[in-house]
Amino acid sequence: MTEPDGRDDPGEAAHPEAGRAATGRGTRNGRPVPLYVVTGGRSGTPGRRDPLVLDLVTLVVTRTSPVPPGMPPEAAALLRACRYPLSAAEISAHLALPFGVLTVLLADLEADGHVELRQTRDAERDAADTDIETLKALIDGLQRL
Amino acid sequence: MVCNDSEHPAPPGPRVEDRLPESAERSLKIVVVGGFGAGKTTLVGSVSEIRPLTTEETMTRDSVGVDDLAGVGDKTETTVAMDFGRITIDRRLVLYLFGTPGQQRFWFLWNGILEGALGAVVLADSRRLADCFPSMDRLEEDGIPFVVAVNVFPDSPTHPPDELRAALDLPDHVPLVACDARLRASGRDVLLTLLRHLYDSATTAVSAPDPSEAP
Ligand SMILES: Nc1nc2c(ncn2[C@@H]2O[C@H](COP(=O)(O)OP(=O)(O)O)[C@@H](O)[C@H]2O)c(=O)[nH]1
Ligand SMILES: [Mg+2]
């Protein structure tokens, strides 16, 4: 495999004088607040673990087989697509559902015990807090690629 | 597991060969940011084990704030699409790579794109360096660790890394590498640069002086 040209010499800035400060910061004000919080569905099961945030990479696995009769078509399609683990992003792509619509559907399916959600996020936490073992595994895995 | 595929010849979902193992339980994401045409979609595609997919989110005027949309016109809704790919690491771990839409200034208002990300790759096109500044600013604001990969195009000017670093206003600890987003090995090396950077940061933090070991 050839190295790309200029690996150690990546090129000149088009406009070095155009500093980054000029692009402006402070878009935080425009930041949306709604998080995709799974609270146990619309009924809101008390005593449940802390609210979890459904992430784009949350893995979904169907826990109902066969698909229960009377399921709405989108829910039925989702349950069929997730016989093996599938990320929320992949479900959204395969079923052509906008992510926000999908999260509502998933919250209901999870509340009814039809799907298991793996790798949700802590609602409080912004940054990934990844352990060293996981980073090591990722590095090893990519080196095998 | 019961498979009813014969009853449903082409149900929406992954191809059989694209299935994750039943044991997959931990998923991680890396976000690829940068200006339009910097090579984000190309990078995602070259390292992904699946044909890259697209997920969308509709953002209302409400959720993005009227002021921030002033330059976008009178639309009350805007759809943001993310390209993404996947790398199965082992029985448990899956890595996802999301490419942000370079033509949309407000991609980061898609709540949940940056949150929980391991880190980010900033793809810079050295012919149009300033294009990646807004993305870099956003990552810094959110405290998302990143590396900068300069995608090399045939007519890219060549200049020393320290000049580039200065132009990007990049601190010494942020890795800067060159890449060819079309090549899988090169894309993989960019991801490895990010992960080693994260690993170094994590191990440095852990090996800080431990009071219990003081004499
Ligand atoms: N020479 C060269 N061309 C590239 C490279 N990466 C992407 N391209 C080309 O640049 C164009 C834009 O790439 P794309 O991935 O769509 O950019 P995006 O807008 O950031 O997603 C495409 O025509 C790619 O084939 C690269 O590393 N080297
Ligand atoms: Mg693209």
Side-chain angles (χ1 to χ4, degrees):
Chain A
M1 184 65 65
T2 54
E3 293 290 326
D5 290 340
R7 171 166 290 279
D8 297 313
D9 195 7
E12 184 191 20
H15 302 289
E17 71 282 3
R20 271 203 290 143
T23 60
R25 298 172 189 247
T27 40
R28 199 183 276 285
N29 287 343
R31 190 169 191 179
V33 265
L35 287 172
Y36 304 117
V37 179
V38 180
T39 56
R42 286 172 186 156
S43 52
T45 316
R48 211 189 130 90
R49 62 195 180 219
D50 290 338
L52 294 169
V53 176
L54 193 69
D55 194 277
L56 279 163
V57 298
T58 295
L59 296 173
V60 181
V61 194
T62 298
R63 283 295 165 237
T64 315
S65 186
V67 174
M71 274 277 158
E74 273 163 1
L78 187 152
L79 294 179
R80 286 192 192 98
C82 297
R83 291 201 196 97
Y84 288 81
L86 201 61
S87 66
E90 284 167 288
I91 299 169
S92 156
H94 287 301
L95 271 57
L97 289 176
F99 187 66
V101 174
L102 175 65
T103 56
V104 174
L105 182 57
L106 280 174
D108 284 348
L109 289 171
E110 204 253 1
D112 293 340
H114 294 311
V115 295
E116 175 192 340
L117 303 179
R118 300 177 183 171
Q119 188 65 23
T120 45
R121 265 193 288 123
D122 194 320
E124 300 297 305
R125 198 181 297 155
D126 252 19
D129 187 11
T130 308
D131 57 288
I132 289 167
E133 290 311 306
T134 299
L135 289 172
K136 187 85 175 55
L138 286 167
I139 291 168
D140 289 348
L142 279 175
Q143 278 170 337
R144 289 191 299 267
L145 202 70
Chain B
M1 172 147 310
V2 182
C3 283
N4 296 323
D5 286 346
S6 56
E7 292 170 29
H8 307 281
R15 301 179 304 172
V16 172
E17 58 268 40
D18 286 344
R19 280 176 183 159
L20 288 174
E22 168 61 32
S23 52
E25 60 178 5
R26 184 97 205 269
S27 50
L28 302 130
K29 70 181 167 190
I30 289 175
V31 181
V32 183
V33 305
F36 182 64
K40 300 178 297 294
T41 301
T42 306
L43 177 73
V44 168
S46 67
V47 296
S48 178
E49 69 195 11
I50 55 168
R51 191 175 55 78
L53 296 168
T54 304
T55 178
E56 297 191 341
E57 182 63 305
T58 306
M59 300 192 311
T60 62
R61 193 188 188 105
D62 239 19
S63 67
V64 296
V66 175
D67 288 344
D68 273 339
L69 269 184
V72 180
D74 251 344
K75 281 183 193 158
T76 51
E77 284 193 340
T78 181
T79 299
V80 175
M82 300 273 170
D83 300 324
F84 67 98
R86 188 183 86 191
I87 301 168
T88 303
I89 298 294
D90 57 29
R91 291 180 62 258
R92 287 182 57 239
L93 286 176
V94 196
L95 178 63
Y96 287 91
L97 210 60
F98 287 84
T100 59
Q103 71 276 29
Q104 277 160 309
R105 288 171 60 207
F106 301 105
W107 61 267
F108 44 69
L109 296 176
W110 181 343
N111 193 276
I113 280 289
L114 287 178
E115 289 84 353
L118 271 179
V121 172
V122 175
L123 261 188
D125 176 344
S126 58
R127 301 166 302 179
R128 292 170 297 170
L129 207 58
D131 287 4
C132 69
F133 290 172
S135 296
M136 284 173 67
D137 286 343
R138 185 61 190 201
L139 296 172
E140 285 173 354
E141 268 181 34
D142 281 21
I144 309 281
F146 63 90
V147 299
V148 177
V150 178
N151 209 4
V152 178
F153 291 86
D155 54 339
S156 293
T158 53
H159 266 265
D162 53 323
E163 274 182 35
L164 203 63
R165 195 175 273 281
L168 288 165
D169 194 14
L170 208 60
D172 286 345
H173 71 270
V174 178
L176 174 67
V177 293
C179 79
D180 186 326
R182 298 165 300 178
L183 305 178
R184 178 176 239 212
S186 183
R188 177 204 58 202
D189 287 347
V190 171
L191 298 181
L192 277 168
T193 301
L194 174 63
L195 288 164
R196 291 195 179 112
H197 176 56
L198 297 172
Y199 184 84
D200 289 345
S201 308
T203 49
T204 304
V206 165
S207 62
D210 181 351
S212 68
E213 282 174 18

